[in-house]
Amino acid sequence: WVKMIITIGLFTPLYSVALFLPTIINNLGYANNEAQLLTVPPYVVACICTIAGNYAADKAGQRGVFLLGFQGLSVVGLLMLVTNGMPHVQYAGTFLAASGMPTSPVL
């Protein structure tokens, strides 16, 4: 049960960002097809952060420190999404939020 609650807590924000990202990009003025294509860059950055973070954590032997750092990055991104109504700031927040979220299950 604990693992199930942890998993829900990890993946709910990630899927929430994924669902609202096309809307944020659409508010920037892009058409539907372009908005769908511009959802890819935050996840490419998140993939690079995941690989680099896991490599660095493995070399340092300190997974907890890296986990806290990436979770802090994710919290900053989610706060940018929640507290600001400007689409440019929200789009930047998705980069930070997505970069911090997928590292938790891997580390």
Side-chain angles (χ1 to χ4, degrees), residues 13 16-18 20-21 24 74-98 101:
S16 298
V17 170
F20 287 106
L21 188 55
I24 293 169
S74 180
V75 166
V76 170
L78 289 171
L79 285 174
M80 289 173 68
L81 285 166
V82 172
T83 61
N84 202 316
M86 296 171 32
H88 291 86
V89 175
Q90 289 179 334
Y91 188 57
T94 59
F95 280 88
L96 296 177
M101 282 186 243

Side-chain angles (χ1 to χ4, degrees), residues 17-18 20-23 25 34-44 91:
V17 170
F20 287 106
L21 188 55
T23 304
I25 296 170
E34 293 170 326
Q36 289 296 328
L37 288 174
L38 286 174
T39 60
V40 174
Y43 297 112
V44 171
Y91 188 57

Side-chain angles (χ1 to χ4, degrees), residues 8-72:
I8 289 171
L10 291 172
F11 291 122
T12 300
L14 185 61
Y15 288 123
S16 298
V17 170
L19 288 174
F20 287 106
L21 188 55
T23 304
I24 293 169
I25 296 170
N26 199 9
N27 289 338
L28 289 170
Y30 293 99
N32 290 340
N33 291 336
E34 293 170 326
Q36 289 296 328
L37 288 174
L38 286 174
T39 60
V40 174
Y43 297 112
V44 171
V45 171
C47 178
I48 292 168
C49 285
T50 301
I51 293 169
N54 285 315
Y55 180 78
D58 189 42
K59 289 295 181 186
Q62 296 289 325
R63 297 196 187 278
V65 174
F66 287 90
L67 180 64
L68 287 174
F70 280 113
Q71 289 301 312

